[in-house]
Amino acid sequence: MALNASLAFLTVLQLAAATTSSFQERCLAFDPTEHVTNTTLRIREYVPANSTILLPGMDPSCSRLNQTIPVAACRIALTIPTSNRSSFIYEHFFPEQDAWTGRLLATGNGGIDGCIKYEDIAYGLEHGFTATGTNNGHNGTGGTAFLNNEEIVKDFSYRTIHTAAEAAKVLTKALYDKKPSKSYYTGCSGGGRQGIQAADLYPKDFDGILVGAPGINFNYMSAWRASFFTYTGAINSSSFISAATWEGLIHDEMLKQCDELDGVQDGILVDPALCVGVFQPETLLCSTTTANTSACLTPHQVEVVRKVFTPLYGESGELIYPPLSPGAETVATQRLLSGTPFSYSVDWYRYAVYSNPAWDPASWTIHDATVGEEKNVGNARSWPSDLSPLRDNGGKMLIFHGGADQQITGLDTERWYNYLSRSMDATSDELDAFMRFFRIPGMNHCSGGTSAWQIGQSGAAAQNLPYEAGNNVLAALVDWVEKGEAPDTVMGTKFVDDNEKKGVALTRKHCRYPLRSTYVGGDSTLAASWVCR
Ligand SMILES: *[C@@H]1O[C@H](CO)[C@@H](O)[C@H](O)[C@H]1NC(C)=O
Ligand SMILES: *[C@@H]1O[C@H](CO)[C@@H](O)[C@H](O)[C@H]1NC(C)=O
Ligand SMILES: *[C@@H]1O[C@H](CO)[C@@H](O)[C@H](O)[C@H]1NC(C)=O
Ligand SMILES: *[C@@H]1O[C@H](CO)[C@@H](O)[C@H](O)[C@H]1NC(C)=O
Ligand SMILES: *[C@@H]1O[C@H](CO)[C@@H](O)[C@H](O)[C@H]1NC(C)=O
Ligand SMILES: *[C@@H]1O[C@H](CO)[C@@H](O)[C@H](O)[C@H]1NC(C)=O
Ligand SMILES: *[C@@H]1O[C@H](CO)[C@@H](O)[C@H](O)[C@H]1NC(C)=O
Ligand SMILES: [Ca+2]
C-alpha cells in the first residue's frame, strides 16, 4: 500500500517534471536508442534559433560546411543498421513543441550521393515540420562504397528512406508524446527518384510526396548519361564542341528553329518535345567557303549535335531514354557536354554494375545499357507500373520537372507518366486524383533557369515569396493532403537576375501534364497571358 502510494506520488512528480521542464532539458535527456533498437547515438544537442551548426564530419565532396538552423531545435543523430554490413546516418531535428505543426518532413539526397541536405531540413523546420535527413547509406558524392556490397546499394535505392521514415515516426512519438499527424517527403533529382521508390515500394510511409526532376529509369538514365562522353569526345579531341559554341552558335540556332513553336519568342521552349525531331543542326554545317570559322560546325560536330538531341535506342532498337531537352544545351555544358565522363554513371558502372574499378567510361557501348538494366543492382530501376496502393492509402504525390533540365531530361518523366497511365489503365483525370505532374518550362535541373522557376521546391526557391499553396509546392502539397485542395496549377516566379530587389521578371501558372501552357495574347511575362490546354 505504502509502496503503491509512493509510486503514484513519483508518477505525479515525473509528470510535473515533464510538463515544466524546458524543451531543452527534455531534448538532452532523450535517449533515442531506447526507442529504435540497435542504433548508436552520434549527436544529441539543443540548437538555439538561428545558430549555425558546423558539419565537420561531412564528406568534403558534399560541399556542406555548416547550416543555419532557423528555429530552436532538438537535434538527434544516430547510426541505424540496415543489414549486417550496411547502415546509415540519420539526422532528426525537432522544433520546440509549440512551434511544431504536427507534421513530419523527410528529405532525400541527390545524384548517387550520401550528402544530407541540411538546407532542406532547415526549410522544413522553418515551416514547423520535424525534419529528417540521412546519408542514404554511404558518405560523399561518389559510389565506391557500392563495390561488392549490394546491401549498400539497396540502402541507396530505397531502404534508407523507408527505414528512416519508420524511425522518424517512432522518435517523434517518443519525444513529443504525439505521432506525426501527417508525414511528407521532399527530394529532387536522386531525391526525386527516392520519392518515386517510396511511392511504389512503401506507399504507407508518406501522406504527401514532393518529387522534383526524378532520376527514374535509373539504369537506362545512367547509360544515357554515360553515352555523352562517347559522343563529345574528350576536351582535347579534334572535334570537341566548346561550351562557347554550344552556348552561342548552337543554342542561337535552336532558338531560331524552335523558340516560336509555342507562339512566343522569349528564349523559353514551353514544350521542348515540340522541337525533338524538328531541330536540324545541319543548318550549321560549314560550307566550303566558310570552312574553319567559329560560326559553323564540321560534319562530325553536326553528328554529335544530332546524337545529343536523338533518343537513346537499346540493343534491340527500342527507345530506352529520350534525348537532352532542346534548350538545355547551354547549362548542359557544365557536365553532360563537358568532355568529361559523367561521374555518377562512371561510379555506377564501376562499383555497382561491373564491380570493376578499372572500367573505362570511354569504352561504353549500348551493350552496357543492357547489362545495367538486366542486373538492376539494388532494384534501382525506379519505374513503377502501378501506384494504386499509394492512391488507395490516400497518398498524394506532386511531381515537377524543368523543361530545360540539363542533367535528367523531363521528357523521360513524361514517358513514365504515360506508361503509368497505360499500365494502371487510368486516364489523366484519374491519375490527377492522387498524382499530379507539373512541367516547368525553362527551369534547369531542380532550380534556376530563364523562366519562372521559383515554385517553393526548396528554401532557396521559396525566398521572397509567400509560403502558401498558390506560390509554394510544399504548402500546396500540405493543403492537398490535409484539406483535399488539389493544385490545378503551380505558380512560378522569376525575379530579374534572380534578385528580388530588382523586381519580378515574369510569373507563370505552370500546367499539369498533359496540359500545356498556351499563350493567349498580351504581355507574355504575365501569368494571365497563358492558359493550360
Ligand atoms: C539487433 O542486433 C542483434 C545482433 O546484432 C540482432 O540479432 C537483432 O536481430 C537486431 N534487432 C533488430 C530489431 O534489428
Ligand atoms: C531568426 O532570424 C530571423 C531572420 O533573420 C528572424 O526573423 C527571427 O526573429 C530570428 N529568430 C530568433 C529566435 O532570433
Ligand atoms: C561517414 O561519415 C561519418 C561522419 O559524418 C563517419 O562517422 C562515418 O564513419 C563515415 N562512414 C564511412 C563508411 O566512412
Ligand atoms: C559556413 O560555410 C560557408 C561556405 O559554405 C562559409 O563561407 C562560412 O564562413 C561558414 N560559416 C561558419 C560559421 O563556419
Ligand atoms: C549476414 O547476413 C546474411 C543474411 O542476411 C548471412 O548470410 C551472413 O552469413 C551474415 N554475415 C555475418 C558475418 O553475420
Ligand atoms: C587528352 O586529355 C586526356 C586527359 O583528359 C589525356 O589522357 C589524353 O592523353 C589527351 N590526349 C591528347 C591527344 O592530348
Ligand atoms: C583553323 O583555324 C585555327 C585558328 O583559327 C587554326 O589553328 C587551325 O589550324 C585551322 N584548321 C584548319 C584545318 O585549317
Ligand atoms: Ca518560346
Side-chain angles (χ1 to χ4, degrees):
M1 188 64 200
L3 192 66
N4 275 350
S6 62
L7 271 181
F9 181 63
L10 262 181
T11 311
V12 169
L13 272 186
Q14 280 167 345
L15 270 177
T19 45
T20 56
S21 81
S22 69
F23 187 72
Q24 177 170 4
E25 285 162 13
R26 194 156 20 125
C27 171
L28 298 179
F30 182 51
D31 183 359
T33 66
E34 273 179 14
H35 303 281
V36 187
T37 49
N38 283 357
T39 59
T40 315
L41 184 64
R42 302 176 63 87
I43 296 166
R44 173 178 48 210
E45 64 181 4
Y46 178 80
V47 183
N50 288 341
S51 55
T52 298
I53 56 168
L54 301 180
L55 305 168
M58 282 292 263
D59 191 279
S61 64
C62 294
S63 306
R64 281 172 181 79
L65 301 175
N66 57 61
Q67 177 65 50
T68 301
I69 301 297
V71 299
C74 178
R75 176 191 187 191
I76 297 295
L78 298 172
T79 301
I80 302 184
T82 50
S83 77
N84 59 13
R85 53 191 189 129
S86 61
S87 65
F88 67 93
I89 294 175
Y90 173 83
E91 285 268 13
H92 194 155
F93 287 71
F94 304 80
E96 298 250 4
Q97 186 120 22
D98 343 345
W100 183 46
T101 56
R103 301 182 184 117
L104 167 72
L105 182 68
T107 67
N109 307 87
I112 56 166
D113 76 34
C115 300
I116 299 170
K117 292 203 165 184
Y118 289 94
E119 65 276 28
D120 286 349
I121 291 177
Y123 182 39
L125 287 172
E126 188 185 342
H127 296 293
F129 293 84
T130 180
T132 65
T134 80
N135 77 339
N136 214 21
H138 67 282
N139 291 336
T141 54
T144 50
F146 297 153
L147 185 62
N148 299 322
N149 192 337
E150 194 169 356
E151 296 299 334
I152 292 179
V153 186
K154 286 182 199 164
D155 284 347
F156 155 76
S157 171
Y158 60 86
R159 190 167 50 190
T160 299
I161 294 295
H162 170 61
T163 311
E166 295 200 316
K169 291 174 188 178
V170 168
L171 294 175
T172 299
K173 168 90 169 76
L175 185 70
Y176 291 126
D177 201 19
K178 215 170 137 198
K179 283 193 301 196
S181 54
K182 294 290 175 195
S183 299
Y184 295 87
Y185 171 85
T186 184
C188 196
S189 190
R193 187 195 59 75
Q194 291 168 296
I196 299 279
Q197 288 278 66
D200 182 23
L201 304 174
Y202 300 101
K204 294 189 172 167
D205 279 357
F206 303 109
D207 303 291
I209 301 177
L210 181 58
V211 162
I216 49 177
N217 193 9
F218 180 80
N219 301 314
Y220 282 147
M221 180 187 78
S222 301
W224 175 72
R225 288 167 149 187
S227 71
F228 281 73
F229 180 62
T230 67
Y231 304 157
T232 63
I235 298 172
N236 54 8
S237 61
S238 61
S239 58
F240 180 72
I241 302 174
S242 70
T245 299
W246 280 109
E247 289 162 10
L249 184 68
I250 299 169
H251 182 61
D252 284 356
E253 182 64 18
M254 176 72 72
L255 292 182
K256 219 191 248 176
Q257 295 188 29
C258 292
D259 189 2
E260 278 195 81
L261 295 177
D262 55 32
V264 181
Q265 194 179 349
D266 58 357
I268 301 164
L269 307 189
V270 165
D271 190 347
L274 297 178
C275 188
V276 174
V278 167
F279 176 61
Q280 286 194 303
E282 290 76 9
T283 53
L284 294 174
L285 267 173
C286 299
S287 72
T288 44
T289 51
T290 59
N292 196 26
T293 77
S294 57
C296 62
L297 301 178
T298 65
H300 181 91
Q301 289 176 323
V302 166
E303 182 62 12
V304 171
V305 175
R306 198 188 58 76
K307 280 181 177 158
V308 163
F309 295 112
T310 302
L312 184 62
Y313 295 98
E315 278 188 292
S316 47
E318 77 286 15
L319 189 155
I320 61 175
Y321 205 88
L324 182 69
S325 288
E329 57 279 354
T330 49
V331 254
T333 57
Q334 296 160 0
R335 295 194 69 175
L336 286 171
L337 303 174
S338 66
T340 46
F342 200 84
S343 64
Y344 301 150
S345 292
V346 176
D347 280 16
W348 183 251
Y349 279 110
R350 282 184 178 164
Y351 305 113
V353 177
Y354 290 126
S355 305
N356 172 15
W359 181 80
D360 177 5
S363 75
W364 183 90
T365 69
I366 196 64
H367 181 64
D368 296 303
T370 309
V371 175
E373 175 70 357
E374 278 174 0
K375 286 196 179 170
N376 190 26
V377 186
N379 192 20
R381 178 180 294 122
S382 315
W383 190 252
S385 58
D386 181 13
L387 294 181
S388 54
L390 179 75
R391 177 194 64 203
D392 296 347
N393 196 50
K396 303 285 184 272
M397 180 152 67
L398 194 163
I399 305 171
F400 65 89
H401 205 136
D405 189 317
Q406 74 279 24
Q407 289 196 34
I408 299 176
T409 175
L411 302 174
D412 195 53
T413 303
E414 295 179 22
R415 256 184 93 222
W416 172 66
Y417 181 99
N418 292 332
Y419 167 74
L420 188 74
S421 171
R422 291 191 300 275
S423 56
M424 285 181 71
D425 193 11
T427 63
S428 291
D429 281 349
E430 287 164 343
L431 290 179
D432 274 354
F434 75 100
M435 178 181 118
R436 294 186 175 213
F437 166 35
F438 296 88
R439 295 185 290 177
I440 317 294
M443 184 170 99
N444 299 145
H445 189 52
C446 296
S447 64
T450 53
S451 86
W453 65 270
Q454 285 197 226
I455 57 173
Q457 66 270 45
S458 64
Q463 258 171 30
N464 306 303
L465 293 168
Y467 180 77
E468 59 184 29
N471 282 285
N472 184 297
V473 280
L474 182 57
L477 180 63
V478 167
D479 278 7
W480 191 9
V481 167
E482 299 182 15
K483 299 184 196 159
E485 292 168 6
D488 277 334
T489 55
V490 159
M491 177 66 99
T493 303
K494 180 170 177 73
F495 294 106
V496 177
D497 300 333
D498 293 328
N499 178 348
E500 86 288 355
K501 294 198 184 79
K502 296 188 178 177
V504 172
L506 68 149
T507 55
R508 185 76 53 88
K509 281 184 178 172
H510 301 300
C511 303
R512 65 184 188 280
Y513 189 79
L515 302 178
R516 181 194 292 153
S517 264
T518 308
Y519 179 64
V520 291
D523 180 348
S524 68
T525 64
L526 301 179
S529 305
W530 300 77
V531 296
C532 296
R533 283 203 186 130

